[in-house]
Amino acid sequence: MNLDARIPSGPIAEKWNRAKFELKLVNPANKRKYSVIVVGSGLAGGAAAATLAELGYNVACFCFQDTPRRAHSIAAQGGINAAKNYQNDGDSIHRLFYDTVKGGDFRAREANVHRLAEVSVDIIDQCVAQGVPFAREYGGTLANRSFGGAQVSRTFYARGQTGQQLLIGVYQALARQIAAGKVTMFNRTEMLDVVTVDGRAAGIVVRDLVTGKIESHSAHAVILATGGYGNVFYLSTNAMGSNVTATYRAYKRGAAFANPCYTQIHPTCIPVSGDYQSKLTLMSESLRNDGRIWVPKKAEDVAKASKDPASIPDEDRDYYLERKYPSYGNLSPRDIASRAAKEACDDGRGVGPGGRGVYLDFRDAIKRDSQAKIAEKYGNLFDMYARITGENPYRQPMRIYPAVHYTMGGLWVDYHLQSTIPGMFVLGEANFSDHGANRLGASALMQGLADGYFIISYTLGHYLAGINAATGKVGTDHPEFKRVEADVKGRVDKLMSIGAKGKRTVDSFHKALGNIMWEKCGMARTKEGLTEALKAIPALREEFWQDVKVLGERETFNQSLEKAGRVADFLEFAELMCQDALEREESCGGHFRTEYQEAGEAKRDDDRFCHVAAWEYQGEDKKPVRHVEPLTFETVKLATRSYK
């Protein structure tokens, strides 16, 4: 497997401009001769589909929701980063680049990250032109706030619903191209496999989620923008439909999967309240601008604090992030803040039911700025918290605890965002490229829109320029399409035949897998725990294929069948995650091996693991091959990551 990153030569600040000049172009008259498949209609996929159609390409866009407006991007709350330096507080493209590399614990590719920082400034202009209602200062200029891992204010926001507003902007651009006939939209359609012909991506096989019909679609190139795999843990902040199927099936067709063990635990979520829950709710990181995080200093005060937080005087409160990381305080990066919360709770000082919670307290902010001002900034988030918990966060602190949120791992891509399958490009959270071992807050929306609006149009054009428009597209009558269709139908038939006599629900298997993953491959990992997981997962998978119950019929609307297929993929992918975590004998970012730490902080091993781990599928019941892309740091020097 060739892991050629195709990074342009020259100084890092000139690489993207150099690449844009050197990339081949497709002239406007020829663009209409090419067809492109885009799987996913969130910020990355929707932006890519709209942009490519605007350029003249013929685009087919697929999503399993009933409308692109329901893509999981809608759930992003706090904001989007950009190095515009409106606050005149010292920000710059280079500082955003540096903060992102450092935030990812020096496990990201420098060239990709710098390009992301460069493109960020254009994203805001694009969104403002679309009418995205970013918050503004009194004088009319766009407002900014701070997020974790940065000492400047560079996050643009629309109250606590930034993802929703950005997605509406993307959707209007997409809808314009649908109306113009340049985008054909396939709603309620799930991609179940990739088709390759002569080593190149030729199309996809999908299932219509309403009729159950399985069919193929071909194109000159395929773009996957299908999000992350956090739902392998069952409980996460992701939408319940979020899954790994598209990227995992691509992996089984030859796409390398990079750094699957890099998962992000978000420190600011509403704690689990019972076994009945199927997902968790995020409280935006933006709340940490004004909220102070604390637990009682003494374990004996926990019961008193849980009953009445106000009864604990300041001298008996441990504002532990402010104490441990004075330079960044409550805006420490997510991985650090999450581990610190777990440490406090493991110490017996967690508050609320089960002792799995810490306080996010707005008392001082309300006293300083007034309740009206806090409501203006975060009102919808406070309303959401009140509706879920029945508590008034203006009068008592929010109770929060870490939860699975984002996945930094994904399909390996080069600088062009192309996977190891030529002609298959991967955008947004579905790829691994920009965040290293930990994503800084407000950078997911930035990456999705950068990939979709400003990068793929250049790099895809370079690929298509090397393909003959007339002969480069393979028809769906090609034998390879028929073979992959048969594989997909075979998997569906197998699930339905087992499901007819199975006794255990799909959800029960998913929940059991999630428990294994959270306990053995969650916030803290050990060699022993990962080894146990690698025994438990195959056993659970075997039981799944013997006893899963799938209700309904195959050729109709059948959510039980949908979930069964996704959980089957999770049961395989989970093993790859744990294998990757076991092989990476260091701690970095969201990957915390308890054997490798120094004074409670993650301890990297740059001599052995300063690289991307990219896994190549070898076949069923065979161990995948681990390939390595070395990471070189020419601009940012490798250093111990410190936020103190």
Side-chain angles (χ1 to χ4, degrees):
M1 178 171 280
N2 181 24
L3 297 182
D4 179 9
R6 294 200 284 182
I7 299 170
S9 60
I12 197 163
E14 299 175 12
K15 289 183 186 294
W16 179 228
N17 281 333
R18 180 188 295 264
K20 286 190 290 185
F21 179 74
E22 293 176 349
L23 289 171
K24 296 176 185 176
L25 301 176
V26 179
N27 84 58
N30 285 339
K31 286 187 173 77
R32 65 178 69 99
K33 300 176 183 178
Y34 291 95
S35 60
V36 181
I37 286 172
V38 178
V39 185
S41 62
L43 290 186
T51 301
L52 295 171
E54 182 78 33
L55 288 171
Y57 297 108
N58 301 296
V59 179
C61 186
F62 297 79
C63 71
F64 63 69
Q65 298 91 348
D66 59 352
T67 168
R69 288 174 297 173
R70 294 190 186 274
H72 185 56
S73 301
I74 201 171
Q77 298 170 344
I80 177 171
N81 287 333
K84 282 192 149 318
N85 195 28
Y86 282 173
Q87 300 294 320
N88 197 29
D89 59 357
D91 201 12
S92 64
I93 288 173
H94 185 80
R95 190 177 294 278
L96 174 54
F97 156 68
Y98 175 80
D99 286 347
T100 305
V101 171
K102 177 184 175 182
D105 215 349
F106 302 91
R107 289 294 178 262
R109 191 190 288 149
E110 267 194 341
N112 287 66
V113 178
H114 197 280
R115 177 176 62 185
L116 177 64
E118 290 177 63
V119 169
S120 72
V121 299
D122 298 322
I123 295 172
I124 304 305
D125 296 338
Q126 168 90 357
C127 294
V128 170
Q130 290 177 332
V132 173
F134 286 124
R136 293 181 180 268
E137 304 290 1
Y138 178 76
T141 56
L142 296 183
N144 291 110
R145 57 190 176 199
S146 298
F147 258 61
Q151 291 183 309
V152 296
S153 295
R154 64 164 66 102
T155 304
F156 295 77
Y157 63 98
R159 298 189 76 187
Q161 51 186 240
T162 312
Q164 179 180 2
Q165 298 302 327
L166 292 174
L167 188 62
I168 290 172
V170 165
Y171 180 69
Q172 71 171 356
L174 182 61
R176 179 173 180 269
Q177 296 305 319
I178 294 171
K182 295 303 292 182
V183 173
T184 303
M185 194 72 217
F186 293 86
N187 300 333
R188 294 177 175 172
T189 306
E190 183 170 23
M191 182 198 122
L192 293 183
D193 220 328
V194 174
V195 180
T196 62
V197 176
D198 297 330
R200 293 178 176 269
I204 60 174
V205 176
V206 302
R207 179 176 182 269
D208 185 312
L209 297 182
V210 177
T211 67
K213 183 180 180 181
I214 292 171
E215 60 184 5
S216 296
H217 297 264
S218 68
H220 291 93
V222 174
I223 295 172
L224 298 187
T226 53
Y229 48 85
N231 273 354
V232 69
F233 290 90
Y234 184 70
L235 286 178
S236 80
T237 65
N238 291 187
M240 287 180 65
S242 298
N243 61 82
V244 77
T245 290
T247 51
Y248 188 70
R249 300 281 173 88
Y251 158 74
K252 294 179 78 171
R253 294 294 177 188
F257 211 111
N259 302 331
C261 75
Y262 288 167
T263 55
Q264 181 169 81
I265 312 297
H266 197 295
T268 319
C269 302
I270 298 177
V272 178
S273 56
D275 288 339
Y276 57 85
Q277 280 186 263
S278 55
K279 79 176 298 294
L280 298 174
T281 303
L282 172 70
M283 288 285 100
S284 170
E285 181 173 305
S286 63
L287 294 170
R288 293 198 273 149
N289 273 280
D290 290 297
R292 300 180 70 193
I293 297 173
W294 65 275
V295 292
K297 286 183 177 178
K298 297 174 287 189
E300 53 265 33
D301 283 344
V302 166
K304 182 180 176 184
S306 298
K307 186 176 182 180
D308 180 15
S311 67
I312 306 298
D314 266 14
E315 59 268 21
D316 291 332
R317 299 182 180 189
D318 181 12
Y319 294 94
Y320 56 85
L321 290 177
E322 298 172 36
R323 169 175 57 82
K324 296 177 69 175
Y325 309 102
S327 292
Y328 286 78
N330 296 298
L331 286 171
S332 300
R334 291 174 175 177
D335 58 323
I336 288 174
S338 293
R339 285 197 295 273
K342 182 179 185 296
E343 183 181 282
C345 293
D346 289 347
D347 193 35
R349 296 183 293 136
V351 295
R356 290 292 163 188
V358 300
Y359 286 130
L360 179 61
D361 197 338
F362 288 84
R363 180 199 65 181
D364 294 346
I366 291 172
K367 190 181 298 183
R368 180 185 67 241
D369 296 332
S370 81
Q371 180 172 320
K373 189 67 175 177
I374 296 301
E376 182 183 322
K377 286 184 180 179
Y378 313 111
N380 61 311
L381 296 171
F382 277 54
D383 292 344
M384 184 166 65
Y385 182 87
R387 288 173 184 170
I388 291 172
T389 65
E391 300 172 357
N392 185 339
Y394 294 106
R395 295 181 180 175
Q396 63 188 92
M398 291 183 180
R399 193 168 55 84
I400 57 169
Y401 192 69
V404 174
H405 178 57
Y406 188 90
T407 53
M408 287 74 66
L411 292 183
W412 184 92
V413 293
D414 60 19
Y415 191 75
H416 292 198
L417 302 183
Q418 186 172 232
S419 71
T420 52
I421 299 175
M424 192 178 81
F425 296 78
V426 190
L427 313 185
E429 191 179 358
N431 75 34
F432 88 102
S433 67
D434 292 0
H435 306 297
N438 173 64
R439 178 177 68 78
L440 293 183
S443 286
L445 305 185
M446 176 174 61
Q447 186 207 351
L449 292 181
D451 289 356
Y453 279 143
F454 296 105
I455 297 172
I456 191 61
S457 56
Y458 286 95
T459 60
L460 178 69
H462 176 79
Y463 172 77
L464 294 176
I467 293 177
N468 186 301
T471 61
K473 180 180 175 181
V474 179
T476 56
D477 56 349
H478 189 282
E480 193 60 22
F481 275 93
K482 299 306 177 186
R483 187 181 73 80
V484 176
E485 267 192 40
D487 287 349
V488 170
K489 290 175 180 176
R491 284 198 296 268
V492 172
D493 288 342
K494 185 177 180 181
L495 284 168
M496 294 304 299
S497 64
I498 296 168
K501 56 183 181 294
K503 298 182 177 64
R504 189 171 170 185
T505 66
V506 175
D507 283 344
S508 73
F509 280 105
H510 195 179
K511 190 177 291 188
L513 175 64
N515 185 61
I516 294 169
M517 295 302 290
W518 179 252
E519 295 298 328
K520 309 298 183 183
C521 195
M523 250 194 295
R525 299 139 182 210
T526 65
K527 179 179 180 180
E528 292 74 21
L530 292 166
T531 302
E532 291 170 7
L534 287 168
K535 294 177 181 177
I537 294 167
L540 182 65
R541 185 168 64 240
E542 184 178 351
E543 185 180 351
F544 173 89
W545 285 110
Q546 291 176 352
D547 201 30
V548 67
K549 187 172 187 64
V550 181
L551 303 172
E553 301 174 5
R554 57 167 290 172
E555 293 186 355
T556 185
F557 177 71
N558 189 339
Q559 289 185 305
S560 180
L561 176 59
E562 289 173 41
K563 288 194 290 185
R566 295 167 189 169
V567 172
D569 290 326
F570 276 139
L571 282 163
E572 292 185 25
F573 175 71
E575 196 170 349
L576 182 66
M577 276 184 69
C578 292
Q579 189 65 50
D580 188 46
L582 183 63
E583 296 276 347
R584 188 168 285 277
E585 296 176 333
E586 65 166 352
S587 289
C588 56
H591 169 64
F592 190 73
R593 287 280 297 269
T594 58
E595 308 100 311
Y596 307 103
Q597 57 178 301
E598 196 165 16
E601 303 293 340
K603 186 178 180 181
R604 298 196 319 263
D605 186 342
D606 293 333
D607 291 336
R608 297 174 60 209
F609 294 102
C610 190
H611 59 240
V612 176
W615 295 85
E616 180 184 10
Y617 183 69
Q618 295 294 295
E620 193 172 346
D621 298 325
K622 294 181 181 179
K623 185 178 178 181
V625 173
R626 186 180 190 268
H627 299 276
V628 165
E629 178 203 336
L631 292 171
T632 57
F633 292 89
E634 300 172 357
T635 306
V636 177
K637 293 182 179 179
L638 283 168
T640 301
R641 181 173 174 240
S642 174
Y643 291 93
K644 295 182 177 180

